[in-house]
Amino acid sequence: MRQDIKPAESWYEATVSREGYEPLRRSIEAEVCVVGGGFAGLVTALECQRRGLRTVLLEGSRVACGASGRNGGFVSSGFALGVEGILSKVGREAAKELYALSRSGTDYVRDTINAHDPSLLNGRGMRVALRHRDTGGLKSYTEMMSRDFGEPLHYSGVEETRLHLVSTRYFESLVSENAFHIHPLAYGLLLARLAVQAGVTIHENTLVNSSTREGTGFVVATDGGQVHARHVVHCVSSLSPHVHRPSGRAMLPVATYVAVTNPLQQNVIRTSAAIADTRRAGDYYRLVNDGRLLWGGRITTRISEPSRLAALMRGDMMAVYPGLGAPRIDYAWAGLMGYAIHKMPLIGRDAEGQWFATAFGGHGVNTTAMAGLLVARGLAGEDDAWRRFTPFAPRWAFGQLGRLGVQGSYWWMQAQDRWEEAKSA
Ligand SMILES: Cc1cc2nc3c(=O)[nH]c(=O)nc-3n(C[C@H](O)[C@H](O)[C@H](O)COP(=O)(O)OP(=O)(O)OC[C@H]3O[C@@H](n4cnc5c(N)ncnc54)[C@H](O)[C@@H]3O)c2cc1C
């Protein structure tokens, strides 16, 4: 029997060394208490502290152990909700402003990495390919993105696409030169180090149980202690919906999977760019430093980690690239994202004054940086640009019923994708 997965360890965890941060064991005071140490919490804490606000970050487990340290590592502008959806909700001018904010997040990640550890950059560019013949939509999309959103995209016909991706599954594609891909866990750990250097106090293994109003501030309670803070910012994604009910009840947990092969000698993926296809639950993959193929895909609201994960992911790779043979899978893992019903981030302040920055869905590397900046600027009284997200306020996601509805819509969309592919075969 082949020896496939090293259980519970991602390739990312296997390729970093972590520093530990002590759990909270007493009562302390701060101006800002950030709950959750994923990218959203880390950037928020770092940027609050940089603005002179004494900040404490409480992380229930280890920093960046959630989606932030387990994701595909693609960094590109935009949101989980596509530009067409944003345009139809808020109109052209507001959509342009939102897109520009999302680009500020991409710039933040790039600048942080360039300034502190360029080795975290795994490659530049992102190619998004169709798995069915284009009917003209791709070219007009390219023109709109360049004209209205200042996002230059390069169009490739079928022949050019297949020079880079040697697979009959692909037809036309678009390349974004502004996108890049990174080691996300190393980026999260870098953010934590920068935060501590700036003066943030981080406590790991410190699960927050509640956050309640106390005089003019809040008390954030954990098993071992509590933080009395003037401001609280909730950044726990879909993982602890009870801690901040207004944002927690608006979240749906959605799982997706990643597998990493052994180092490959191959000639079918001929690009160092990140690659994705346009299906609703499509594949996303990239070659990483030592010739390993990091392959992500599938999307489900059923959170359990399938025991046959390695075999499933290998099957997905070979369906696109039979030329790969049957690569050995050295690592495979699941990750949990948080989505709001409208697929846009939830960024704002509730009626009591508690802040939230969450629901980044499958497009969180840039948008968490953007959100951290917006919240820190709002808290420091610099501006209220965070209000641009008011049209996307938290709305109840219908609990278990919402999950079933979303799972049903994934199945329906996947069936549509298969039908479109079948027509092009
Ligand atoms: C497999 C996968 C692939 C993805 N690929 C990409 C990609 O290529 N590009 C992209 O842009 N996005 C991608 N995403 C999405 C992106 O990773 C997320 O949107 C983003 O990381 C969310 O960050 P976050 O800080 O909101 O949440 P998380 O990273 O999940 O962080 C939340 C943190 O809160 C902590 N926490 C929870 N409850 C408590 C509590 N009660 N007290 C204290 N702490 C608590 C958790 O331990 C966790 O560390 C992917 C996601 C997954 C799962």
Side-chain angles (χ1 to χ4, degrees):
M1 209 177 95
R2 67 197 302 158
Q3 194 58 35
D4 264 335
I5 303 181
K6 298 183 177 124
E9 188 180 52
S10 72
W11 176 74
Y12 298 132
E13 287 285 356
T15 49
V16 296
S17 63
R18 279 180 173 273
E19 287 161 44
Y21 303 100
E22 285 299 304
L24 178 68
R25 293 202 183 88
R26 61 198 174 92
S27 179
I28 58 172
E29 290 186 2
E31 279 166 276
V32 181
C33 177
V34 176
V35 185
F39 294 155
L42 288 164
V43 177
T44 303
L46 171 59
E47 292 303 323
C48 283
Q49 187 73 41
R50 280 180 172 164
R51 285 162 176 76
L53 299 163
R54 200 161 35 88
T55 303
V56 169
L57 182 147
L58 305 180
E59 161 54 44
S61 176
R62 312 292 309 273
V63 290
C65 69
S68 298
R70 307 169 75 80
N71 64 51
F74 289 34
V75 194
S76 61
S77 301
F79 298 91
L81 180 64
V83 286
E84 288 93 346
I86 301 175
L87 276 167
S88 71
K89 172 81 180 169
V90 297
R92 194 159 300 272
E93 286 317 305
K96 282 186 192 176
E97 282 165 2
L98 286 169
Y99 195 85
L101 285 174
S102 83
R103 187 185 294 118
S104 72
T106 309
D107 293 343
Y108 184 93
V109 181
R110 182 190 291 107
D111 293 347
T112 303
I113 285 175
N114 283 344
H116 300 284
D117 191 353
S119 74
L120 304 189
L121 183 73
N122 290 147
R124 290 177 211 281
M126 175 168 137
R127 183 177 291 273
V128 180
L130 288 181
R131 293 202 14 162
H132 56 82
R133 282 198 187 280
D134 185 23
T135 48
L138 217 51
K139 274 195 171 145
S140 55
Y141 178 78
T142 310
E143 283 156 15
M144 178 190 70
M145 288 307 292
S146 162
R147 185 188 60 233
D148 294 343
F149 297 97
E151 188 68 62
L153 298 172
H154 169 79
Y155 173 90
S156 297
V158 180
E159 210 174 306
E160 188 183 339
T161 301
R162 291 184 184 174
L163 279 179
H164 297 277
L165 314 175
V166 185
S167 169
T168 53
R169 289 283 170 145
Y170 293 130
F171 293 86
E172 294 81 357
S173 60
L174 291 181
V175 179
S176 162
E177 300 292 351
N178 286 337
F180 51 99
H181 55 104
I182 63 169
H183 190 305
L185 177 57
Y187 166 63
L189 300 181
L190 169 65
L191 289 174
R193 280 200 305 280
L194 292 175
V196 169
Q197 281 162 18
V200 174
T201 306
I202 295 180
H203 293 289
E204 289 185 322
N205 297 310
T206 300
L207 199 66
V208 169
N209 299 321
S210 64
S211 165
T212 47
R213 180 106 214 161
E214 182 197 57
T216 55
F218 299 92
V219 55
V220 180
T222 74
D223 283 346
Q226 46 188 221
V227 181
H228 299 265
R230 242 164 66 73
H231 305 285
V232 184
V233 190
H234 295 281
C235 305
V236 300
S237 186
S238 57
L239 302 168
S240 291
H242 61 282
V243 175
H244 181 249
R245 290 294 294 157
S247 60
R249 68 200 287 276
M251 302 277 285
L252 284 165
V254 173
T256 171
Y257 307 124
V258 179
V260 174
T261 67
N262 62 317
L264 299 177
Q265 300 290 332
Q266 57 84 29
N267 195 25
V268 288
I269 303 169
R270 299 176 177 172
T271 173
S272 58
I275 302 141
D277 67 60
T278 57
R279 291 172 306 159
R280 282 77 172 183
D283 302 320
Y284 51 94
Y285 55 93
R286 59 198 182 103
L287 292 169
V288 289
N289 311 15
D290 48 3
R292 292 177 191 270
L293 175 58
L294 184 150
W295 188 283
R298 297 181 176 255
I299 189 163
T300 169
T301 55
R302 291 170 302 171
I303 300 161
S304 58
E305 211 153 320
S307 50
R308 289 178 50 247
L309 191 49
L312 275 179
M313 301 305 279
R314 182 170 34 238
D316 290 351
M317 293 174 196
M318 287 169 59
V320 179
Y321 296 112
L324 280 179
R328 196 183 75 215
I329 306 292
D330 281 350
Y331 303 87
W333 63 92
L336 208 55
M337 313 176 271
Y339 274 88
I341 291 263
H342 47 54
K343 290 171 81 182
M344 284 294 276
L346 302 173
I347 301 170
R349 202 164 46 173
D350 69 17
E352 241 189 351
Q354 306 206 39
W355 290 80
F356 47 89
T358 190
F360 300 100
H363 214 300
V365 184
N366 66 318
T367 51
T368 46
M370 170 205 73
L373 279 170
L374 287 177
V375 170
R377 276 160 38 191
L379 267 169
E382 285 174 19
D383 63 41
D384 62 356
W386 59 272
R387 290 190 194 278
R388 299 218 186 286
F389 285 85
T390 310
F392 301 100
R395 289 208 319 258
W396 182 44
F398 302 103
Q400 194 58 31
L401 204 62
R403 280 193 206 184
L404 289 174
V406 170
Q407 184 63 57
S409 72
Y410 286 151
W411 283 331
W412 168 240
M413 291 187 297
Q414 283 160 10
Q416 284 178 299
D417 285 331
R418 279 195 287 273
W419 168 238
E420 271 173 12
E421 277 191 64
K423 284 193 297 183
S424 301

